[in-house]
Amino acid sequence: MNTTGVTGPSRAAEASRVQNEHDGGFRKAAVLGAGSWGTTFAKVLVDAAWDEERRRQQASAEDSPEAADALHGTARGVVLWGRNADDMTRTARTRVNQKYVPGLHLPDPLEITADLAEALDGADLVVLALPAQTLRGQLPAIAEHLNPDAALVSLAKGLEQGTGLRMTEVVAKVLAEHRPEADGGHDPAGWFARTCVLSGPNLAMEIADEQPTASVVAARDPELAAAVARACAAPYFRPYTNTDVVGTEIAGLTKNVIAVIVGICEGRHYGDNSKASIITRGLAESTRLAMALGGKPETMSGLAGIGDLVATCSSPLSRNHTAGRLFGQGKTLDEIHREMTQTAEGLKSAPAVLALARAHGVDMPITQAVVAILEGRITVENLAPLLLGRQLKSEATPS
């Protein structure tokens, strides 16, 4: 079931209820998934709470009660959950996630656990930092302990294989199946109304180093997006908001596929002309798909679109860029999987993205090239003719 078209009073009422509940700020945030981005985002939430409390105390000291009251929910607890008990025990003891973010010292107020029930107990903000292709399998256990009034944030950037569903659609559908009492039945509308997406140029290692970064929180309800943005607004992390969940998710997942091709170009020692051409035309085909699904063009020209695309395609910290570079150097898919410790989501999502595009009559030649390479139908040596050997046409042609 595609939840993007959910309309009607039930969704509006649910969004309004969640908005009102969190106008005063979230009391506890649970980050589920202790990879590099989940661990880093948990730190962002703690630093945001600290900064909010500091500003509240400053406003109170300056006898500005109105300014102090305008600052929402301080004293917010944050907990990081991971499945591996040994890893989480070690991380709690050393305050360092050596496997994924070795240079990051985690703040003392951050709780760390491998107990899912403990992590979700009392959590009214739940952040899903789980890989796109494993999210569905972990949601039933999450649903068992989930506060039915919680707001959710998806950090995953991918399209589910087999179903072609975006992550917010997977979340809403599975939670409605396992927690129907939370929204009055098996209709995913209630869960979809309170599920946000955080996207943008989110290279975890740079954010862990507190380098200035801007991102986007997208939710159908602008007040819910604003509440989540307030909760993660750290001195070095600036979240903007929008209401284009579809466009934000499509931008986040297609840029991974484009980054694979840019990485191949780098592995083949192609220059900046080649990479700039791929990035620009990649944005064009991503925008076509987003708009075909109801996304907005301004999203694609903003942080979630061009911002994330440029970062992912140009940075050696990008897993998808790294996977492409290894392809370009002649590595096989199996060799790449063995060499990389984290998932390059573009490799898994590319076939699903292409299938979705074809179902909606959208031409995506760069995505098609990635799939052809993954399936072994072409080699990286034949990439240039595939991308350039197309009919000449106006750049403004919509397909």
Side-chain angles (χ1 to χ4, degrees), residues 20-377:
N20 292 334
E21 284 178 355
H22 300 302
D23 273 349
F26 297 98
R27 298 178 299 278
K28 176 182 175 181
V31 180
L32 307 183
S36 57
W37 187 208
T39 302
T40 300
F41 193 71
K43 176 186 182 298
V44 169
L45 289 169
V46 173
D47 291 346
W50 275 359
D51 186 58
E52 199 166 24
E53 175 63 18
R54 178 190 59 78
R55 289 184 288 121
R56 180 186 290 277
Q57 291 177 354
Q58 182 179 5
S60 298
E62 294 172 351
D63 294 327
S64 303
E66 296 84 1
D69 290 342
L71 295 171
H72 295 257
T74 58
R76 179 172 55 251
V78 183
V79 58
L80 174 66
W81 171 87
R83 288 191 298 176
N84 189 301
D86 290 340
D87 287 348
M88 301 312 290
T89 299
R90 187 180 306 108
T91 300
R93 184 182 71 252
T94 64
R95 310 308 296 176
V96 175
N97 186 339
Q98 187 63 34
K99 183 176 182 180
Y100 291 111
V101 202
L104 175 64
H105 186 275
L106 297 172
D108 291 339
L110 175 64
E111 298 179 45
I112 299 170
T113 184
D115 187 326
L116 185 59
E118 177 186 338
L120 290 172
D121 183 28
D124 51 358
L125 177 62
V126 177
V127 180
L128 301 170
L130 304 165
Q133 305 309 325
T134 65
L135 177 61
R136 178 183 291 270
Q138 297 189 59
L139 281 171
I142 293 170
E144 183 179 348
H145 305 288
L146 185 65
N147 180 343
D149 297 324
L152 297 104
V153 181
S154 171
L155 301 187
K157 298 177 180 178
L159 203 64
E160 188 179 46
Q161 294 173 315
T163 66
L165 295 177
R166 305 186 320 277
M167 294 300 98
T168 56
E169 294 177 307
V170 174
V171 170
K173 184 177 178 65
V174 177
L175 291 184
E177 292 171 356
H178 289 270
R179 292 297 298 273
E181 77 282 2
D183 62 356
H186 290 282
D187 186 350
W191 288 109
F192 189 76
R194 56 180 178 273
T195 301
C196 307
V197 178
L198 188 139
S199 194
N202 298 144
L203 295 166
M205 296 305 295
E206 293 186 1
I207 298 172
D209 196 37
E210 300 189 4
Q211 297 182 25
T213 301
S215 292
V216 171
V217 177
R220 285 291 185 90
D221 174 43
E223 294 302 323
L224 178 58
V228 172
R230 287 192 296 268
C232 61
Y236 53 89
F237 191 79
R238 169 53 157 103
Y240 290 79
T241 62
N242 73 37
T243 57
D244 183 12
V245 175
V246 174
T248 300
E249 285 192 285
I250 292 297
L253 64 94
T254 55
K255 59 91 184 179
N256 287 332
V257 181
I258 306 305
V260 172
I261 288 287
V262 174
I264 291 174
C265 290
E266 190 153 308
R268 299 288 298 163
H269 302 294
Y270 295 163
D272 292 335
N273 286 340
S274 300
K275 289 180 280 188
S277 299
I278 295 296
I279 291 172
T280 305
R281 295 312 301 165
L283 178 63
E285 68 178 57
S286 299
T287 301
R288 291 196 296 268
L289 179 61
M291 293 182 66
L293 295 171
K296 300 176 182 178
E298 56 265 32
T299 300
M300 307 306 290
S301 62
L303 287 164
I306 187 65
D308 201 6
L309 181 65
V310 169
T312 305
C313 289
S314 60
S315 175
L317 296 174
S318 162
R319 288 168 284 179
N320 295 283
H321 178 277
T322 299
R325 177 174 50 78
L326 294 173
F327 262 125
Q329 293 171 351
K331 300 288 182 69
T332 66
L333 185 59
D334 287 341
E335 289 172 333
I336 292 170
H337 286 320
R338 285 196 297 269
E339 186 163 335
M340 297 184 64
T341 59
Q342 296 192 64
T343 301
E345 192 59 55
L347 302 182
K348 296 181 177 293
S349 293
V353 173
L354 184 59
L356 183 65
R358 286 173 171 168
H360 289 82
V362 177
D363 187 29
M364 299 189 73
I366 296 175
T367 302
Q368 185 177 346
V370 173
V371 173
I373 291 172
L374 292 175
E375 294 177 349
R377 291 186 283 109

